[in-house]
Amino acid sequence: DVKVTQSSRYLVKRTGEKVFLECVQDMDHENMFWYRQDPGLGLRLIYFSYDVKMKEKGDIPEGYSVSREKKERFSLILESASTNQTSMYLCASSGTGTRTDTQYFGPGTRLTVL
Amino acid sequence: TQLLEQSPQFLSIQEGENLTVYCNSSSVFSSLQWYRQEPGEGPVLLVTVVTGGEVKKLKRLTFQFGDARKDSSLHITAAQPGDTGLYLCAGEPGYGGATNKLIFGTGTLLAVQP
């Protein structure tokens, strides 16, 4: 059974703190994604990675960075958390095929920045 | 930036009613997916449509991809409380091939009352 796990379900941080969100997949997928989900806005892509040490900016990368040192692990970093980064963060992974592949999602991390 | 607008944003209906959710864009997509997200979980893929005009059925759910591949609809017949959740459409931009990046719609929150 495919599995994407995220390090925390709930996280509360203070403004200015450095925040690490970790995601691990066990499907040997090449692609991994970080999204944030806000009511009425759907999912917005922050960053994605198509291979180890490779990354591309998504639609809203400002204030975020990522790291992919191993194929199964993709980390999202908030260098200096701000209140407008309070959100639900979803990680996903997918394989590489000739057609759109299914994205498998983790359960999400609800981050609150005070 | 390509956008996918979903309507309605919220829908509360009684068990046994029928409903349709719409996903619209001014851009062409090479394929379109529908996901359902339940509270506390990540989205889970329901279906992928890839050909303009394509219709797919999944039990009481019927999915259609517009002829011009710019829009899609999800119709649920005789809704059940188990259908409750957030429905998200997601399109892969472009005219063909796999980019593995998705544009997600704004979401439709469905509540089916027993």
Side-chain angles (χ1 to χ4, degrees):
Chain A
D1 202 14
V2 298
K3 198 154 188 179
V4 178
T5 56
Q6 295 184 228
S7 50
S8 305
R9 295 297 294 263
Y10 299 94
L11 211 51
V12 180
K13 295 291 181 181
R14 297 212 172 269
T15 302
E17 281 193 76
K18 191 168 186 176
V19 182
F20 293 87
L21 302 182
E22 293 211 315
C23 174
V24 178
Q25 52 97 0
D26 66 357
M27 295 164 281
D28 200 36
H29 281 163
E30 291 81 7
N31 304 310
M32 295 188 75
F33 308 83
W34 275 107
Y35 296 91
R36 64 176 283 174
Q37 182 175 29
D38 300 288
L41 297 178
L43 274 66
R44 292 180 291 165
L45 182 64
I46 304 171
Y47 267 97
F48 81 101
S49 169
Y50 49 90
D51 202 350
V52 176
K53 296 190 187 294
M54 307 302 286
K55 61 186 180 185
E56 275 195 30
K57 293 180 180 179
D59 298 317
I60 51 165
E62 296 78 19
Y64 303 95
S65 62
V66 290
S67 172
R68 194 168 179 200
E69 297 296 318
K70 292 185 177 181
K71 190 175 186 180
E72 67 271 18
R73 190 179 297 267
F74 192 34
S75 301
L76 179 70
I77 303 147
L78 287 66
E79 294 289 342
S80 178
S82 63
T83 54
N84 63 13
Q85 291 178 309
T86 291
S87 187
M88 170 69 85
Y89 290 87
L90 289 165
C91 174
S93 71
S94 73
T96 303
T98 56
R99 286 288 197 181
T100 307
D101 208 346
T102 304
Q103 289 196 11
Y104 295 90
F105 286 85
T109 296
R110 185 163 293 284
L111 173 67
T112 301
V113 183
L114 302 175
Chain B
T1 303
Q2 291 175 285
L3 294 173
L4 273 169
E5 296 285 340
Q6 285 184 239
S7 61
Q9 191 173 359
F10 302 102
L11 197 52
S12 180
I13 60 172
Q14 294 297 124
E15 182 175 358
E17 290 185 38
N18 302 332
L19 66 117
T20 302
V21 177
Y22 299 93
C23 173
N24 294 298
S25 177
S26 57
S27 303
V28 174
F29 293 94
S30 61
S31 65
L32 199 130
Q33 298 181 326
W34 284 91
Y35 288 79
R36 179 169 67 208
Q37 184 179 19
E38 297 184 13
E41 302 296 329
V44 175
L45 179 70
L46 295 173
V47 77
T48 301
V49 285
V50 297
T51 306
E54 183 176 1
V55 176
K56 276 192 175 178
K57 290 193 175 185
L58 187 66
K59 296 183 181 177
R60 294 175 292 99
L61 279 60
T62 302
F63 304 85
Q64 184 162 8
F65 201 10
D67 291 340
R69 291 187 294 151
K70 293 182 179 181
D71 56 82
S72 181
S73 63
L74 157 61
H75 182 79
I76 301 179
T77 303
Q80 304 292 313
D83 296 326
T84 293
L86 178 68
Y87 288 81
L88 293 157
C89 62
E92 185 172 31
Y95 290 85
T99 65
N100 295 299
K101 283 174 63 177
L102 295 174
I103 305 293
F104 277 85
T106 47
T108 295
L109 187 60
L110 171 65
V112 182
Q113 312 297 333

